[in-house]
């Protein structure tokens, strides 16, 4: 009887050691592949590098999704605004307003001035806001039906 207990303990320790070894090797291989994908050393093809980099971005995307879902339950829409210094990439080219463009832009987003989502009509040539629509989100919220497993969002977090 004591022998069986010892055997089970040894078997359990062996399983833990085997899983730990596999986990460690996977961690090292993942770090190696991410390093080579990020530095373009030529050891990986472009498709392999892009796949590995997309795979490595999953935890960040999960964090963004969790942070966004937290905002649904609060009544403050301003956390939905992102600092452009964090979001913009150095290789982006900004050409707005564009004097040669005679078109218009219908923009939907959170406006810090109104502290809610609204819609703006913007003339591209000079960047002038021609009209702003501020929906009555409290009324719209009353028109949303209750869901069994999803709470009704706060009116301040409804997005046009």
């Amino acid at each position: 009887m004591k022998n069986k207990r010892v055997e089970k303990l040894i078997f359990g320790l062996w399983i833990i050691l085997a899983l730990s070894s596999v986990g460690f090797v996977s961690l090292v291989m993942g770090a190696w592949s991410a390093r080579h994908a990020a530095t373009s050393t030529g050891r990986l093809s472009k498709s392999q590098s892009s796949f590995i980099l997309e795979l490595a971005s999953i935890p960040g995307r999960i964090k963004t999704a969790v942070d966004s879902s937290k905002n649904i339950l609060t009544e403050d829409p301003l956390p939905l605004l992102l600092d452009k210094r964090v979001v913009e990439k150095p290789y982006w080219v900004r050409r707005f307003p564009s004097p040669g463009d005679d078109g218009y832009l219908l923009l939907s987003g959170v406006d810090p001035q109104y502290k809610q989502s609204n819609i703006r009509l913007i003339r591209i040539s000079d960047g002038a806001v021609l009209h702003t629509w501020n929906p009555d989100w409290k009324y719209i919220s009353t028109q949303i039906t209750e869901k069994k497993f999803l709470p009704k969002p706060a009116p301040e977090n409804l997005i046009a």
Side-chain angles (χ1 to χ4, degrees):
M1 184 136 176
K2 206 174 194 184
N3 237 356
K4 286 192 178 199
R5 246 189 225 169
V6 171
E7 285 178 9
K8 284 184 182 181
L9 181 64
I10 290 174
F11 181 72
L13 290 174
W14 184 85
I15 292 291
I16 290 172
L17 181 65
L19 290 176
S20 298
S21 298
V22 168
F24 179 73
V25 169
S26 298
L27 179 70
V28 169
M29 291 300 295
W32 176 88
S33 61
R35 188 182 111 227
H36 285 288
T39 58
S40 303
T41 59
R43 291 184 182 245
L44 301 171
S45 69
K46 283 190 176 202
S47 61
Q48 288 172 326
S49 293
S50 64
F51 173 75
I52 290 169
L53 291 174
E54 286 296 319
L55 195 62
S57 70
I58 289 175
R61 290 182 182 177
I62 290 172
K63 180 187 180 311
T64 302
V66 168
D67 290 344
S68 295
S69 63
K70 286 179 188 175
N71 292 333
I72 291 173
L73 302 175
T74 67
E75 295 187 5
D76 183 17
L78 294 182
L80 297 175
L81 294 174
L82 300 174
D83 184 1
K84 70 179 179 181
R85 293 172 296 187
V86 175
V87 176
E88 285 186 350
K89 305 294 182 217
Y91 51 84
W92 288 5
V93 178
R94 182 183 295 247
R95 292 190 180 115
F96 185 82
S98 177
D101 192 337
D102 60 352
Y104 297 89
L105 175 65
L106 191 61
L107 181 68
S108 168
V110 177
D111 188 343
Q113 177 184 354
Y114 297 103
K115 295 191 177 188
Q116 72 172 26
S117 175
N118 64 15
I119 302 131
R120 289 173 277 171
L121 179 63
I122 302 170
R123 187 173 39 231
I124 295 174
S125 63
D126 61 359
V129 177
L130 302 176
H131 191 73
T132 300
W133 290 272
N134 290 307
D136 183 359
W137 292 115
K138 289 188 180 176
Y139 172 75
I140 293 171
S141 176
T142 64
Q143 302 302 307
I144 297 174
T145 58
E146 291 285 335
K147 303 285 188 264
K148 185 174 183 180
F149 297 107
L150 184 66
K152 235 183 190 182
E156 293 81 8
N157 285 335
L158 294 175
I159 299 173

